[in-house]
Amino acid sequence: MTIELELANQPVIAGTRQTSISLRVYETVRNAIVQLQLRPGHLLSEAELARQMGVSRQPVREAFIKLAEAGLVEVRPQRGTFVKLISIREVQNSRFIRESIELAVVRKAAVEIDAAGVADLRELIAAQQVALSGKLGDFLRLDDDFHCAIASHAGVEHAWRHIVSLKAQLDRVRYLGFPAATPRPVVVAQHTLVVDALERNDPEGAVTMMHRHLNELAPSLPKLAEEYAELFADE
């Protein structure tokens, strides 16, 4: 499988080129793993990825280290580096932490948000409506943009950055679960209800709607693990 990464003709600040390339390699491979282009159990070749991306092996090696820290790859002695199987326990832990943070965020947003913030969120929902029949990756990026915007309008942008750092395992299940477990129109409808509560400055209503939204995928997790047993770790 070829993974393309545009590295040529990029402006680079003196002394930062290797770090910049390493980060872009990491983000590209991470996205490929999260979006299941690189499936759990897939053997990763440092040399092959470096060749495909047109970089040296050093930034790929650094990306592998970060991916291991994120729980997305594992090094098996004498065998190589593999995309890690999905752990139900890790997915559940990620979901618990994300929900704990996001419910606090949306409660704060219900107090802090102004009319411009509500309008911004409704614009994002309108973009999701347009993306209903488009690529799943584009739709899920808009979903993330929506949640990020809520944190921004609550004045706690770092909360979303923390969520992004821990939700890779959960995102892999999201890709498996769409559209059967969570139809896209349902996501848009739930987002609309969250914004309706925010517009009313209704913290309890916003928390209730966000809780319902974040738990949409949970009931389907055992079924997904059974249907795609080869992608899940035995626990």
Side-chain angles (χ1 to χ4, degrees):
M1 175 177 296
T2 298
I3 302 174
E4 297 181 356
L5 181 63
E6 293 293 335
L7 292 173
N9 302 318
Q10 295 287 340
V12 179
I13 299 172
T16 66
R17 180 173 175 79
Q18 191 66 34
T19 299
S20 177
I21 293 174
S22 298
L23 178 59
R24 280 180 279 168
V25 171
Y26 165 76
E27 289 178 344
T28 298
V29 179
R30 181 190 183 278
N31 288 339
I33 292 173
V34 166
Q35 296 176 20
L36 302 174
Q37 297 169 25
L38 293 173
R39 309 278 280 184
H42 182 90
L43 173 63
L44 296 172
S45 167
E46 183 181 294
E48 179 62 16
L49 284 173
R51 185 193 65 78
Q52 290 178 4
M53 296 181 183
V55 300
S56 69
R57 294 177 65 163
Q58 181 61 28
V60 177
R61 189 174 301 120
E62 292 172 358
F64 279 6
I65 292 172
K66 291 187 65 176
L67 290 165
E69 292 172 350
L72 291 175
V73 306
E74 60 179 338
V75 178
R76 301 177 190 173
Q78 311 303 319
R79 297 186 61 190
T81 301
F82 292 80
V83 177
K84 199 170 182 180
L85 295 174
I86 299 171
S87 164
I88 292 180
R89 181 182 295 274
E90 289 183 18
V91 171
Q92 291 172 332
N93 284 339
S94 294
R95 189 183 65 80
F96 174 81
I97 296 169
R98 177 181 181 176
E99 181 177 335
S100 299
I101 295 172
E102 283 219 58
L103 294 188
V105 168
V106 79
R107 182 183 295 277
K108 190 172 188 298
V111 176
E112 301 286 342
I113 199 165
D114 57 16
V118 171
D120 178 45
L121 293 175
R122 294 209 184 276
E123 286 182 10
L124 286 169
I125 291 174
Q128 285 184 309
Q129 287 279 8
V130 174
L132 283 175
S133 58
K135 293 180 180 179
L136 176 58
D138 293 338
F139 182 83
L140 290 181
R141 276 191 292 274
L142 286 168
D143 179 80
D144 283 346
D145 288 347
F146 176 82
H147 288 269
C148 178
I150 291 176
S152 178
H153 292 300
V156 287
E157 297 89 340
H158 186 70
W160 177 251
R161 292 197 293 272
H162 183 68
I163 289 171
V164 170
S165 71
L166 60 81
K167 73 185 186 77
Q169 296 286 3
L170 182 58
D171 282 344
R172 290 204 285 178
V173 175
R174 289 170 73 203
Y175 271 85
L176 279 178
F178 275 88
T182 313
R184 297 187 204 187
V186 171
V187 173
V188 174
Q190 291 172 345
H191 282 181
T192 301
L193 291 173
V194 170
V195 177
D196 290 346
L198 292 176
E199 188 171 31
R200 296 193 305 269
N201 299 117
D202 175 8
E204 295 306 322
V207 167
T208 297
M209 292 301 103
M210 183 63 78
H211 172 76
R212 185 177 301 169
H213 173 57
L214 294 177
N215 281 273
E216 187 70 31
L217 193 60
S220 64
L221 183 57
K223 182 178 179 180
L224 289 171
E226 181 179 353
E227 183 176 355
Y228 300 97
E230 73 280 5
L231 305 183
F232 285 79
D234 294 329
E235 297 178 319

